[in-house]
C-alpha cells in the first residue's frame, strides 16, 4: 500500500484576545493526529492556547494572477478613507 | 507564453525582490527560482533531520537528567526545524516523498558536518557551541530572504537556535572547569570539530558557483568567506574564555583588519566528505533509510485506520 498522509494547515491562537494565526503546515493521517503533531511541532514553548487544524485541500485560495481585478478596484476609492474629507481645523474631535 | 512575455515577467519579478517584496508560493516565479529554492531549502531540511543522528547517539548516555532533558529538547527542535523547512519546500510543488527519495538516493545533499562521529560526551558541547554557532551565522540573514515561506521558517528556527548554542557552551564550560581529564576531553572535541565547522560555512568564494544569483534572490546575503571570518572572530574569544586552544598554529589577530588571520583549510577533506567518503556518511544514510523503510507499515496502518474511521463516520451520518 502506498498512500501519503494528507497535508494540514495549522492555526494557533497565541493567547486569548488574539485571533488564530497561520503557523505552518504538516502531514498527518487524520485530524486527531494533525492536532497532536501540531502541538509538538508548533507549540513547544508556550506559543499557543488554542489550535485549529484544517486539511489543506479544504482551503480555497485566491489566485495571485487575479490580483488586478480582485484588489485594484479598492485603490481608487479614496473616499473610503477619513483623510478624503476636507474639514476646517476648528472642528475638533473628528 | 512567448519568450518576450517570460522575459517581461522575469523583469517584474526581479524588481519586486529588489524592492524587498516577498514572493509567495502561488506567485509567478522563474523556473530557476523554483528549482534553486527547492534545492537549497530541501538541503537545509535534510541537514536538520540528519543532524539529529550524531546527537541522538548520546541521549541515553547523558551524564545527568538535566543534560539529558536539554539534549532531548535540542534534538526534538532539530526535527521541528526539518519539518518547518520541508513544509516550506513543499509549497514549491514538490512532495515530501520526492524530497525523502532525493535524500535517500544520495541525489540531494545535507551538511557535510554531520558525517563526523560523536565519540565522547564533550562532542555534545562542541556541536552545540560550534556547529549550531556556525548554523546561526548562516541562518540569521535568511530570516529576510525573498521567498516568504522560507523566511518565516527561518525566523522560527533562529528563535530556537540560541538555546542550542548556549547549552553546548555550558557543557564545554563545565568540562573546562572540571578535572584534568574533563578539560582534555573538551580540548580533544574542539580539535576534532574546529576545522569541519569552518568547512561547514561552504567553499571559498573563488570556488563557490551560485553566489551571485543567490545574492540577488537574498538566498545569501554575505559570502561564505565573510561568514567564516565572522564565525572565527566571534568564536576565538569564546575559546579563550574556556581556556582552550584553537587547533590552528597560524591563527593570529590582525591589528590592521581587526580580524583573525587563520591557516589553510583542508578542502580535499571537505570534498571527500561531500562526495560521500566521510567517516560516517554510510552510517547516517543507513540510519535514515532504515528508519523510513521500517516505519512504512506504521504510516500505512495509520492511514488505513483514518480511512476506516472516516467511513464509519459517514455511515453513521447517513
Ligand atoms: Fe536546527
Ligand atoms: Fe540547532
Amino acid at each position: 500500500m502506498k498512500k501519503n498522509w494528507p497535508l494540514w494547515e495549522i492555526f494557533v491562537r497565541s493567547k486569548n484576545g488574539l485571533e488564530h494565526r497561520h503557523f505552518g503546515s504538516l502531514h498527518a493521517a487524520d485530524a486527531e493526529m494533525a492536532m497532536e503533531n501540531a502541538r509538538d511541532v508548533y507549540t513547544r514553548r508556550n506559543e499557543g492556547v488554542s489550535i485549529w487544524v484544517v486539511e489543506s485541500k479544504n482551503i480555497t485560495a485566491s489566485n495571485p494572477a487575479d490580483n488586478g481585478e480582485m484588489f485594484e478596484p479598492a485603490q481608487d476609492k479614496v473616499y473610503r478613507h477619513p483623510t478624503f474629507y476636507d474639514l476646517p481645523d476648528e472642528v475638533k474631535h473628528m | 507564453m512567448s519568450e518576450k512575455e517570460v522575459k517581461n515577467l522575469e523583469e517584474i519579478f526581479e524588481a519586486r525582490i529588489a524592492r524587498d517584496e516577498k514572493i509567495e508560493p502561488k506567485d509567478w516565479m522563474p523556473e530557476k527560482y523554483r528549482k534553486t529554492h527547492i534545492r537549497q531549502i530541501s538541503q537545509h531540511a535534510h541537514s536538520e533531520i540528519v543532524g539529529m543522528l550524531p546527537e541522538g547517539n548520546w541521549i541515553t548516555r547523558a551524564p545527568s537528567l538535566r543534560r539529558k532533558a536539554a539534549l532531548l529538547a535540542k534534538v526534538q527542535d532539530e526535527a521541528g526545524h526539518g519539518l518547518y523547512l520541508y513544509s516550506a519546500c513543499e509549497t514549491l510543488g514538490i512532495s515530501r516523498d520526492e524530497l525523502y527519495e532525493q535524500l535517500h538516493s544520495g541525489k540531494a545533499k545535507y551538511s557535510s558536518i554531520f558525517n563526523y562521529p560523536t565519540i565522547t560526551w564533550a562532542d555534545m558541547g562542541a556541536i552545540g557551541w560550534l556547529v549550531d554557532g556556525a548554523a546561526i551565522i548562516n541562518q540569521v540573514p535568511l530570516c529576510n530572504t525573498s521567498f516568504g515561506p522560507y523566511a518565516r521558517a527561518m525566523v522560527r528556527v533562529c528563535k530556537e537556535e540560541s538555546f542550542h548554542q548556549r547549552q553546548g557552551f555550558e557543557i564545554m564550560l563545565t568540562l573546562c572547569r572540571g578535572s584534568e581529564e574533563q578539560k582534555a576531553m573538551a580540548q580533544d572535541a574542539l580539535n576534532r570539530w574546529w576545522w569541519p565547522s569552518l568547512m561547514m560555512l561552504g567553499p571559498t568564494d573563488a570556488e563557490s558557483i551560485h553566489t551571485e544569483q543567490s545574492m540577488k534572490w537574498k538566498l545569501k546575503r554575505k559570502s561564505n568567506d565573510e561568514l567564516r571570518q565572522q564565525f572565527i572572530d566571534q568564536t576565538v574569544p569564546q575559546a579563550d574564555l574556556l581556556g582552550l586552544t584553537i587547533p590552528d598554529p597560524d591563527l593570529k589577530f590582525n591589528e590592521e583588519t581587526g580580524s583573525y588571520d587563520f591557516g589553510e583549510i583542508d578542502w580535499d577533506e571537505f570534498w571527500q566528505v561531500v562526495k560521500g567518503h566521510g567517516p560516517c556518511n554510510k552510517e547516517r544514510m543507513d540510519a535514515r533509510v532504515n528508519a523510513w523503510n521500517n516505519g512504512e507499515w506504521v504510516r500505512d496502518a495509520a492511514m488505513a485506520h483514518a480511512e476506516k474511521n472516516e467511513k464509519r463516520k459517514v455511515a453513521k451520518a447517513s
Side-chain angles (χ1 to χ4, degrees):
Chain A
M1 192 174 111
K2 178 83 181 152
K3 199 155 182 205
N4 295 327
W5 289 355
L7 191 67
W8 300 75
E9 299 303 321
I10 311 304
F11 299 81
V12 176
R13 184 201 296 287
S14 43
K15 63 176 190 186
N16 275 10
L18 295 179
E19 65 280 68
H20 286 78
R21 201 165 59 79
H22 186 235
F23 261 44
S25 48
L26 50 77
H27 290 273
D30 57 21
E32 196 187 338
M33 189 196 283
M35 186 62 80
E36 287 164 359
N37 290 356
R39 169 188 172 273
D40 288 344
V41 177
Y42 292 107
T43 62
R44 290 195 301 284
R45 289 180 175 82
N46 300 312
E47 289 93 337
V49 294
S50 163
I51 301 176
W52 291 347
V53 301
V54 182
E55 203 177 333
S56 309
K57 68 170 189 204
N58 292 324
I59 290 180
T60 308
S62 67
N63 186 343
D66 303 334
N67 275 11
E69 54 190 274
M70 286 279 279
F71 305 115
E72 269 166 26
Q75 278 171 15
D76 57 11
K77 298 189 172 49
V78 281
Y79 46 87
R80 284 177 177 164
H81 298 277
T83 46
F84 179 73
Y85 301 92
D86 275 333
L87 300 185
D89 289 347
E90 294 82 68
V91 182
K92 302 290 178 205
H93 308 297
M94 201 178 280
Chain B
M1 229 183 294
S2 77
E3 215 168 286
K4 199 168 154 223
E5 280 171 311
V6 172
K7 193 112 191 93
N8 195 14
L9 280 173
E10 266 173 24
E11 265 162 33
I12 296 171
F13 179 85
E14 298 292 344
R16 285 181 66 193
I17 294 181
R19 280 198 304 272
D20 252 336
E21 271 182 44
K22 298 288 178 203
I23 306 302
E24 294 295 342
K26 294 184 87 183
D27 293 346
W28 183 87
M29 60 183 77
E31 211 29 48
K32 200 173 158 217
Y33 182 90
R34 183 187 305 278
K35 288 216 173 99
T36 305
H37 276 75
I38 287 178
R39 186 171 23 124
Q40 175 161 334
I41 301 172
S42 67
Q43 191 171 319
H44 196 160
H46 299 326
S47 300
E48 301 284 355
I49 297 296
V50 177
M52 292 192 287
L53 297 170
E55 290 180 295
N57 182 30
W58 279 91
I59 290 174
T60 57
R61 294 174 291 162
S64 69
L65 190 57
R66 181 177 186 274
R67 294 286 183 221
K68 185 175 186 156
L71 185 60
L72 199 55
K74 181 193 188 280
V75 172
Q76 191 187 18
D77 274 357
E78 305 301 4
H81 297 175
L83 290 175
Y84 308 152
L85 288 162
Y86 281 126
S87 294
C89 199
E90 285 171 73
T91 65
L92 290 164
I94 185 164
S95 73
R96 181 75 61 90
D97 265 41
E98 285 172 271
L99 291 168
Y100 284 156
E101 164 56 28
Q102 291 179 351
L103 172 64
H104 297 162
S105 68
K107 190 179 163 228
K109 299 280 176 233
Y110 56 90
S111 182
S112 58
I113 192 99
F114 300 118
N115 292 312
Y116 290 86
T118 46
I119 53 187
T120 74
W121 169 251
D123 290 1
M124 297 305 98
I127 288 181
W129 173 36
L130 301 172
V131 177
D132 287 83
I136 291 171
I137 284 189
N138 244 331
Q139 288 168 349
V140 167
L142 287 173
C143 294
N144 275 313
T145 193
S146 65
F147 186 54
Y150 193 24
R152 291 191 287 275
M154 291 323 296
V155 168
R156 197 165 287 130
V157 166
C158 286
K159 253 189 227 158
E160 299 180 351
E161 284 295 347
S162 87
F163 132 64
H164 298 179
Q165 197 186 15
R166 289 173 69 106
Q167 66 90 37
F169 191 80
E170 198 198 69
I171 291 172
M172 294 303 266
L173 195 63
T174 308
L175 289 170
C176 289
R177 286 175 177 166
S179 66
E180 283 287 305
E181 286 92 338
Q182 284 172 320
K183 185 156 187 192
M185 200 197 263
Q187 180 65 56
D188 166 66
L190 172 58
N191 292 349
R192 285 181 289 106
W193 290 95
W194 175 253
W195 292 104
S197 299
L198 297 190
M199 294 174 198
M200 189 185 154
L201 293 155
T204 53
D205 296 349
E207 300 259 328
S208 185
I209 16 175
H210 309 295
T211 303
E212 206 189 316
Q213 181 70 85
S214 300
M215 291 271 182
K216 259 201 209 149
W217 289 340
K218 297 171 185 168
L219 269 173
K220 217 163 174 52
R221 318 214 75 175
K222 289 183 185 175
S223 75
N224 294 348
D225 287 336
E226 285 173 309
L227 294 171
R228 192 162 14 249
Q229 190 66 57
Q230 184 187 339
F231 175 73
I232 293 170
D233 289 344
Q234 75 178 44
T235 309
V236 175
Q238 295 166 355
D240 291 344
L241 217 120
L242 292 170
L244 296 178
T245 310
I246 304 262
D248 177 359
D250 296 325
L251 190 79
K252 200 168 159 267
F253 189 71
N254 183 327
E255 296 285 351
E256 244 170 71
T257 59
S259 281
Y260 286 86
D261 294 336
F262 54 97
E264 193 81 36
I265 293 173
D266 182 358
W267 290 111
D268 284 344
E269 175 181 324
F270 174 75
W271 290 114
Q272 282 297 313
V273 179
V274 169
K275 284 179 187 138
H277 311 300
C280 300
N281 294 59
K282 192 178 165 340
E283 191 183 325
R284 301 289 181 244
M285 242 345 79
D286 285 351
R288 258 311 302 167
V289 173
N290 286 340
W292 181 246
N293 290 345
N294 296 339
E296 186 174 0
W297 70 271
V298 182
R299 296 192 300 278
D300 286 348
M303 201 63 234
H305 175 74
E307 280 171 346
K308 215 188 245 173
N309 266 348
E310 193 55 39
K311 261 185 219 143
R312 214 174 282 152
K313 245 191 256 164
V314 173
K316 235 190 201 162
S318 59

